[in-house]
Amino acid sequence: MTVKTKLSQIRNIGIIAHIDAGKTTVTERMLFYAGRTYKIGEVHDGEATMDWMHQEQERGITITSAVTIFDWLKNEIHLIDTPGHVDFTIEVERSLRVLDGAVVIFSGVEGVEPQSETVWHQADKYRVPRIAFVNKMDRPGANFFNTIEMMVQKLGAEPIALQIPWGSEDGFKGLIDLITEKAIIWHDDTLGTTFEACEIPAELKEEASHHRTRLLEAIVEKDDAVMEKYLAGQELTEDEVKSVLRKATLDMSVVPVLCGAGLRNKGIQPLLNAIVDYLPSPSEVPPVEGINPDTNEKEFRRSSYEEPFSALAFKVVMEEGRKLTYLRVYSGTLKVGQEVYNTTKKLKEKAARIFKMHANKKERVPDIRAGDIVGVAGLRDSTTGDSLSDERHPILLEAIEFYKPVVFIAVEPKSTADQDKLSFSLSKLAEEDPTVKITIDEDSGQMIVSGMGELHLEVLMTRLMEDFNVPVKVGKPQVVYRESILESVVSEGRFEKEIAGENHFGQVSLRLAPLARGAGIQFSNSLKEDVLSPENVDAIEEGAREATLSGVLSGYPLVDIQITLEDVAYREGSSSSLGYKIAASAALREGCQKAHPVLLEPIMSIEIVLPNEFVGEVIGDLNARGGKVEMIDAKGMISIIDAKTPLKPMFGYTTSLRSVTQGRGSFSMHFSHYDRVE
């Protein structure tokens, strides 16, 4: 791998999509055509380079995001292949947090699917410019223009087709490039490594001309100089079109759309060209923003080798007991053996070894610099979301948000001798995956493992037994409920006690009111500023918030409550922060008892794709599970059902759907919101 000196020659990109859209298949072709691998690894054969985990090869799905590096057109591409299954969406979240651009892959048959929407909005949140690739154009029912229309309707995007397909389904030959006005056809006998550009077939010239005009009309609006030239009737050059497209892609006002068929080795090289042409280098993205922990002032780091070192730890992997921390370097440089400051935990760490990654293979390098995505060994205390920087110029970067688990299982070792090993192994899995939560049930003493779904927990348990060699007994998946209130009340809490020779007193009056679903816990202070010190107000808020961690019905966390501090009593010499904190906790618990407490359950959004003849039976089954059908969309011989349903009745739904549809139905499900248990 050649060492690059120019930031403009680096692309940090991710491949994101709904499950089964073909992310890993497309990635494998990229690696093959770039010369990074000597053969194409197929997902269905369990040989995909990027799906290196045993679990991924066995199940045929991507579970963990994998990093690789390859060269294309004298540019160094750092690529992260992410999972498409909703249970592993944290992998997408933390990847997008550190990437500069993304390729969103859509299936030409299904178009924009639920997880497509999820990853799209995740990319919106982190302001990640993207290009789209409509895959599977060789499949029955594939429709390029329908997918583009769905991008407008479902994603609110402004897609611009740079290509149109040449042929469809079994007759898909290649594509028509609307910028160069050439047809491109691939040679099947060379696994797609060779292709040729030729004249556009006569029967497609009119259609190609129509879509080229739409392309030009869309981009000239983005640049006044190009607009003047176009309106004057002058021909735009290829460089002018690409330059305006690049600018519009980087400011996220348009999304270039390409097409192909990954499994049939068509359309990949133009996609690689588009990554270089339209997605940003590290020097083209805004400076990373953070807080100086010493001054609490906002600071920025430009993507430059001259700036002080700054990086974000976005992933942790345990390899045979050794910890490997993945970093995105935003500025500066770091050599092997140098100390680095963990700004989040306020401690020093040493970079013992630095690796450029190719899935699970490592290449040792002597240093890292701005723009790099690497693995570092030796960072013992750094975890996902930690900021690393130069100790003389500390900066605390924005942390990564983690999703709350909705399903849990009870786990215990098969023999008491393995208890410590189980605790140790689970802590390592939780360190790798921040969406895994480990708690101890106070009543039974059992270890409780919480996660994002059935598949997530199933994979964790398999890894526990296979990778960590811990035999375990596993309970059935259980739903993570929440609690809330339905009425507004005012409640008082009082605490008075002598502790270690000191009197502690506190008396607090709180108003509790229900909030809209998803609003969380909100605290406000209605007292005048001089009534109580800020330290005591903070203690009251802390006590109230701690009390919301365990509800009054079944001990589940409380959500969607407005807590307002209404009144306090003050006693000279004995009023204390501890007294106010305990009084606030008591006031909240007593208030919840009086405010009509209710149990909330997770409601899931589900999309089912199935042949038309099974629609009636599937809807009947959904109704029996308490589901509510929101939309049925018929597309030729298949139908797509969108519904909302409680999580608990959906355990084991995979088997049920296969049975009802004779194995021809599939579904995807993701968390929507919490609602009252009926």
Side-chain angles (χ1 to χ4, degrees), residues 149-309:
E149 185 58 33
M150 291 177 75
M151 288 177 67
V152 176
Q153 293 174 355
K154 291 194 170 187
L155 306 176
E158 189 179 333
I160 295 183
L162 308 190
Q163 307 162 347
I164 60 172
W166 179 1
S168 62
E169 301 183 352
D170 287 344
F172 179 68
K173 296 179 181 178
L175 52 91
I176 309 298
D177 190 313
L178 300 176
I179 296 179
T180 62
E181 296 184 275
K182 292 287 184 183
I184 304 175
I185 190 167
W186 276 261
H187 301 144
D188 290 335
D189 58 341
T190 65
L191 289 177
T193 54
T194 60
F195 53 94
E196 59 183 274
C198 54
E199 291 302 312
I200 298 173
E203 68 272 14
L204 286 175
K205 280 193 173 178
E206 186 178 339
E207 184 182 3
S209 176
H210 167 72
H211 288 290
R212 176 176 166 82
T213 301
R214 291 184 66 176
L215 162 65
L216 296 178
E217 287 176 349
I219 66 163
V220 295
E221 292 179 1
K222 312 294 180 185
D223 187 285
D224 292 341
V226 172
M227 169 77 88
E228 285 180 27
K229 186 174 179 180
Y230 182 72
L231 291 177
Q234 299 177 46
E235 197 67 32
L236 300 182
T237 66
E238 184 180 328
D239 285 345
E240 284 174 323
V241 173
K242 286 185 173 181
S243 175
V244 178
L245 256 174
R246 178 177 184 80
K247 182 181 173 186
T249 305
L250 297 194
D251 68 21
M252 294 179 60
S253 60
V254 303
V255 180
V257 185
L258 301 92
C259 63
L263 201 58
R264 286 177 62 176
N265 311 312
K266 291 177 170 62
I268 306 302
Q269 293 92 338
L271 176 59
L272 284 164
N273 294 344
I275 289 169
V276 172
D277 288 341
Y278 307 119
L279 292 180
S281 67
S283 57
E284 291 172 300
V285 297
V288 68
E289 181 181 314
I291 300 292
N292 183 322
D294 297 332
T295 65
N296 279 328
E297 296 291 321
K298 190 181 290 185
E299 289 192 6
F300 298 89
R301 294 284 186 273
R302 289 181 305 110
S303 193
S304 163
Y305 305 146
E306 282 71 46
E307 291 259 321
F309 179 78

Side-chain angles (χ1 to χ4, degrees), residues 622-639:
L622 275 178
N623 290 337
R625 295 170 187 268
K628 294 176 182 175
V629 175
E630 297 189 325
M631 188 180 73
I632 302 172
D633 187 9
K635 291 185 176 180
M637 299 175 67
I638 66 165
S639 288

Side-chain angles (χ1 to χ4, degrees), residues 6-49:
K6 290 183 181 178
L7 278 166
S8 61
Q9 292 177 297
I10 293 175
R11 299 290 182 274
N12 286 317
I13 65 157
I15 307 291
I16 59 178
H18 186 91
I19 192 168
D20 283 340
K23 293 179 307 303
T24 304
T25 298
V26 168
T27 303
E28 293 297 321
R29 268 77 185 161
M30 288 181 175
L31 297 176
F32 180 65
Y33 299 140
R36 192 70 173 90
T37 55
Y38 67 92
K39 73 168 193 169
I40 297 174
E42 300 292 12
V43 176
H44 53 265
D45 293 332
E47 295 179 353
T49 304

